[in-house]
Amino acid sequence: SAGVFLVGLGSIASAWGFQLIGGYVPCSMCLAQRVPYYVGLPLALVAFLAARRGWAGLSRLVLAAIALLFVYGAGLGIWQAGAEWGFWLGPNDCGGGAPVAASASALLQQLDHTRVVNCSVASLRIFGLSFAGWNVLVSAALVLASAAAAWLPARTR
């Protein structure tokens, strides 16, 4: 569970780094793919602490839940990566959020500075994979690691 936490933390920190330092604005699908990390990382800490206290049953249950969370995350990544490659359509509402403004002139001013990101277009590819593609790989690794930790006997983990 410590390895799941560290790999997951590295992945979500990279996503935030590309956003805050690199200036890559996430689309709604990108933001949805972060949710398993936001839920799974604290759960990985719970699993780790439970294992350290000798609560193997709780640790295994939490690790199984983490595996399911990252199956969901990998599925979202597959959907987005497939849409980026043109294999299927992305979600209809994929783009930017609706701006909130107090007046029509403020709304027009916000629209001038709002950048809408299309989920079906990869903003960057690294070694041929978009952010969604990399998320599929990391999520799949986290599924395997969590599932293995949940089901393997403690002496083989």
Side-chain angles (χ1 to χ4, degrees):
S1 58
V4 170
F5 177 80
L6 293 174
V7 170
L9 183 63
S11 181
I12 196 67
S14 296
W16 275 100
F18 276 105
Q19 179 181 344
L20 298 176
I21 298 167
Y24 290 91
V25 178
C27 67
S28 62
M29 288 283 292
C30 297
L31 294 173
Q33 289 173 71
R34 293 179 183 187
V35 172
Y37 294 92
Y38 297 148
V39 176
L41 293 181
L43 287 177
L45 288 177
V46 169
F48 176 77
L49 294 174
R52 299 282 290 177
R53 290 190 173 255
W55 301 335
L58 176 61
S59 180
R60 287 174 183 248
L61 183 65
V62 172
L63 285 163
I66 292 168
L68 292 174
L69 275 169
F70 284 105
V71 165
Y72 169 74
L76 287 175
I78 290 168
W79 184 16
Q80 183 175 359
E84 290 169 349
W85 286 105
F87 296 144
W88 47 72
L89 295 176
N92 291 334
D93 64 344
C94 204
V100 178
S103 67
S105 63
L107 176 63
L108 290 174
Q109 204 170 34
Q110 277 185 338
L111 288 174
D112 282 340
H113 302 290
T114 300
R115 180 174 168 206
V116 177
V117 181
N118 185 340
C119 296
S120 299
V121 177
S123 56
L124 176 69
R125 291 195 188 275
I126 301 170
F127 301 116
L129 293 176
S130 66
F131 293 132
W134 281 106
N135 181 57
V136 172
L137 293 181
V138 172
S139 291
L142 293 172
V143 168
L144 293 174
S146 299
W151 283 285
L152 289 178
R155 66 180 181 280
T156 60
R157 282 189 254 161

